[in-house]
């Protein structure tokens, strides 16, 4: 191992340790320092490691945790990164952390969640065995520019890893186009049937053919722009997935039951998370397991066993109420949460928390593309409609326009009081925070509940 690489590893480990001791873990500094010392440190440290990368706009973290459960159950010697470290410098730090001081990595596999914009650069160094692209949705426009920009960043990244097998969402016309003119092996995953009887009315992020701009026709839509698409003009169409959800048996507030066909073998699968988007994430997990060589039974049982991460349908008790918290960050994801609530018949308190900091996207106009009307139609079921966050007033206005009775919309700015109100009776609650609001809530929630640590 080059002296430079050894030094970079040492600096990365040491600065990481110092920062953790100061209570400032999770910064990009160690990775940055290491990169300054050795430009190719990631290539050196990942040599010989079979790397699975998960990227795409929505569901990276949940999909990664599902795959991680399968890796663990299969007994693979692996390590993984967390969502907070999914840029190049964070990924470098995770590899350094799992290497010896001489720069050797004793693990056979790595599972890396990678920011979709960061994949272009990161893929130059990583020996990617398997790349999952979940979906491409319009997300934080002010951060990444146009939707095709995100797509092209991933497309360019793929040119660096011609030997990687791509697990692509067949139902996403944007993601599926990544298969055009690349030499990579492809495993398609998808959902062959509609997930819900009715879905939220939502704007498609990709109504027109990516090749010829003609409007797509659909045999069915699962949600957003996902489904059985085809272009009537140029013929671009959905590929038949080898890993396919062929039947949705039940969708509940906590889980779903599906029939999953993996390369011709049918499995009845209990997915331990609610929502149509997690049905896709489950199919992605099964596709990765196939590529990595994990047997189907292990892949399937992992889906029923794994515990979800904080903020992604995490459940906890607040005072007298059972609460579910679901991160919302773009129209497609928010509409899925709304679908979930709209298809449940119970009474609930609703809490909407809207921030506009950098990580949330500073332009909050996206909330006008969310189908709050579907909830307003059922507002008798909702005992409280609570609004908070930096942009609480904008959220309240949006709900008013959706048809919620204005006198029922309560703006509560202090999280402490918000949580007290939610816990004041037994009616269960749905908390829907944007990214930074979720982090702010975390500290407050720990004072209101006995859940010990949400994050490692
Ligand atoms: Zn076309």
């Amino acid at each position: 191992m080059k002296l430079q690489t050894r030094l970079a590893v040492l600096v990365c480990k040491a600065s990481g340790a110092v920062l953790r001791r100061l209570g400032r873990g999770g910064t990009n500094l160690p990775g940055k320092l290491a990169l300054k010392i050795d430009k190719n440190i990631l290539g050196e440290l990942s040599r010989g490691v079979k790397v699975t990368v998960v990227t795409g706009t929505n569901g990276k973290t949940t999909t990664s945790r599902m795959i991680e459960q399968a890796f663990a159950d299969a007994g693979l010697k692996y390590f993984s990164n967390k969502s907070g470290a999914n840029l190049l410098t964070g990924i470098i730090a995770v590899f350094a952390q799992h290497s010896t001081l001489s720069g050797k990595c004793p693990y056979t596999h790595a599972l890396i969640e990678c920011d979709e914009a960061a994949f272009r650069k990161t893929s130059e160094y990583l020996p990617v065995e398997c790349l999952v692209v979940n979906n491409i949705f319009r997300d934080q426009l002010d951060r990444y520019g146009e939707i095709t920009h995100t797509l092209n960043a991933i497309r360019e990244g793929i040119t660096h890893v011609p030997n990687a097998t791509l697990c692509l969402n067949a139902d996403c016309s944007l993601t599926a186009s990544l298969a055009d003119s690349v030499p990579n092996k492809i495993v398609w995953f998808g959902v062959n049937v509609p997930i819900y009887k009715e879905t939220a009315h939502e704007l498609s992020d990709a109504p027109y053919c990516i090749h010829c701009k003609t409007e797509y026709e659909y045999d069915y839509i699962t949600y957003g722009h996902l489904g059985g698409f085809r272009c009537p003009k140029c013929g671009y169409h959905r590929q038949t997935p080898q890993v396919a959800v062929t039947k949705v048996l039940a969708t509940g507030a906590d889980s779903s039951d599906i029939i999953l066909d993996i390369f011709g073998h049918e499995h009845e699968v209990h997915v331990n998370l609610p929502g149509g988007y997690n049905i896709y994430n489950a199919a992605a997990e099964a596709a990765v397991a196939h590529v990595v060589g994990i047997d189907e039974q292990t892949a399937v049982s992992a889906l029923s066993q794994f515990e979800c991460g904080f903020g992604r349908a995490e459940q906890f008790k607040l005072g007298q109420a059972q609460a579910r918290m679901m991160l919302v960050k773009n129209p497609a994801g928010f509409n899925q949460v709304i679908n979930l609530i709209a298809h449940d018949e119970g009474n609930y308190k609703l809490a909407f928390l809207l921030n506009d900091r950098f990580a949330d996207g500073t332009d909050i106009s996206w909330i006008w593309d969310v189908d709050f009307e579907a909830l307003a139609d059922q507002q008798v079921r909702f005992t409280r409609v609570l609004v908070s966050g930096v942009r609480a007033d904008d959220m309240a206005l949006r709900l008013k326009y959706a048809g919620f009775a204005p006198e029922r919309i309560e703006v509560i700015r202090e999280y402490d009081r918000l949580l007290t109100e939610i816990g004041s009776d037994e009616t269960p609650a749905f908390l829907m925070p944007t990214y930074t609001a979720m982090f702010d809530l975390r500290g407050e929630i720990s004072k209101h509940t006995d859940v010990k640590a949400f994050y490692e």
Side-chain angles (χ1 to χ4, degrees), residues 367-411:
I367 62 171
W368 293 90
D369 296 335
V370 177
D371 187 19
F372 295 107
E373 285 76 7
L375 292 180
D377 289 347
Q378 308 181 7
Q379 57 186 295
V380 288
R381 280 175 46 212
F382 308 125
T383 60
R384 304 278 294 267
V385 180
L386 307 165
V387 178
S388 191
V390 180
R391 301 297 289 268
D393 294 326
D394 298 80
M395 193 67 205
L397 183 69
R398 175 69 190 92
L399 293 177
K400 192 178 129 190
Y401 272 89
F404 279 94
E407 67 277 9
R408 296 203 49 221
I409 303 169
E410 302 172 63
V411 175

Side-chain angles (χ1 to χ4, degrees), residues 209-214 216 231-236:
C209 177
I210 189 165
H211 298 297
C212 75
K213 308 273 180 270
T214 307
Y216 287 121
C231 171
K233 190 169 172 215
C234 76
Y236 175 55

Side-chain angles (χ1 to χ4, degrees), residues 241-414:
Q242 298 102 323
V243 178
V245 177
T246 54
K247 203 167 186 185
V248 178
L249 303 170
T251 54
D254 301 318
S255 63
S256 301
D257 291 284
I258 56 172
I259 300 288
L260 186 60
D261 186 309
I262 306 174
F263 284 81
H265 310 127
E266 282 205 338
H267 301 266
E268 190 170 333
V269 182
H270 180 73
V271 183
N272 198 23
L273 267 187
Y277 47 107
N278 284 316
I279 292 178
Y280 275 98
N281 295 339
E285 181 259 14
V288 171
H290 177 87
V291 172
V292 176
I294 295 171
D295 70 273
E296 290 174 10
Q297 207 46 55
T298 303
V300 161
S301 76
L303 293 171
S304 66
Q305 280 166 22
F306 88 107
E307 302 280 332
C308 55
F310 182 78
R312 290 164 176 92
E314 177 85 357
Q315 293 201 43
F316 44 87
K317 192 100 177 171
L318 274 181
Q320 301 178 55
Q322 193 65 25
R324 286 193 190 87
M325 178 149 76
M326 321 191 76
L327 171 68
V328 291
K329 57 174 195 169
N330 54 22
F334 213 140
N335 282 330
Q336 280 293 290
V337 173
I338 287 174
N339 256 332
L340 179 72
I341 299 171
H343 283 78
D344 194 287
E345 286 168 1
N347 290 335
Y348 289 102
K349 303 183 197 92
L350 302 181
F352 303 92
L353 295 92
L354 179 65
N355 277 4
D356 64 353
R357 302 206 185 103
F358 182 69
D360 304 295
T362 53
D363 175 0
I364 54 150
S365 63
W366 63 273
I367 62 171
W368 293 90
D369 296 335
V370 177
D371 187 19
F372 295 107
E373 285 76 7
L375 292 180
D377 289 347
Q378 308 181 7
Q379 57 186 295
V380 288
R381 280 175 46 212
F382 308 125
T383 60
R384 304 278 294 267
V385 180
L386 307 165
V387 178
S388 191
V390 180
R391 301 297 289 268
D393 294 326
D394 298 80
M395 193 67 205
L397 183 69
R398 175 69 190 92
L399 293 177
K400 192 178 129 190
Y401 272 89
F404 279 94
E407 67 277 9
R408 296 203 49 221
I409 303 169
E410 302 172 63
V411 175
I412 303 181
R413 291 179 199 285
E414 311 75 36

Side-chain angles (χ1 to χ4, degrees), residues 51-200:
V51 182
T52 293
V53 174
V54 180
T55 193
T57 336
N58 288 11
K60 286 187 290 290
T61 302
T62 310
T63 306
S64 298
R65 298 291 75 79
M66 288 174 169
I67 296 168
E68 178 157 15
Q69 185 73 48
F71 275 25
D73 293 352
L76 298 185
K77 199 167 182 222
Y78 77 95
F79 67 93
S80 67
N81 66 338
K82 302 280 178 217
S83 53
N86 66 5
L87 301 174
L88 177 61
T89 47
I91 292 167
I92 287 171
V94 169
F95 268 90
Q97 201 186 328
H98 291 88
S99 297
T100 64
L101 276 179
S102 63
K104 277 213 176 68
C105 183
Y107 295 83
T108 55
H109 291 76
L111 171 60
I112 299 298
E113 172 183 338
C114 185
D115 178 271
E116 53 275 27
F119 178 66
R120 173 169 32 196
K121 195 81 190 144
T122 309
S123 59
E124 284 181 31
Y125 305 102
L126 287 179
V128 180
E129 178 189 29
C130 179
L131 170 72
V132 194
V133 186
N134 265 356
N135 50 55
I136 312 276
F137 283 107
R138 186 160 73 84
D139 194 20
Q140 304 175 7
L141 278 182
D142 44 353
R143 190 165 151 219
Y144 292 144
E146 289 297 317
I147 198 164
T148 47
H149 195 78
T150 306
L151 186 63
N152 289 336
I154 299 174
R155 201 185 295 285
E156 198 184 320
I158 289 173
T159 63
H160 302 140
V161 289
N163 296 320
T165 299
L166 311 182
C167 296
L168 301 178
N169 187 338
D171 300 357
C172 174
S173 57
L174 296 166
T175 304
S177 76
L178 293 170
D180 297 343
S181 58
V182 294
N184 301 63
K185 266 192 249 163
I186 316 268
V187 173
W188 297 101
F189 65 89
V191 179
N192 289 355
V193 289
I195 294 171
Y196 296 110
K197 286 195 190 84
E198 290 168 47
T199 54

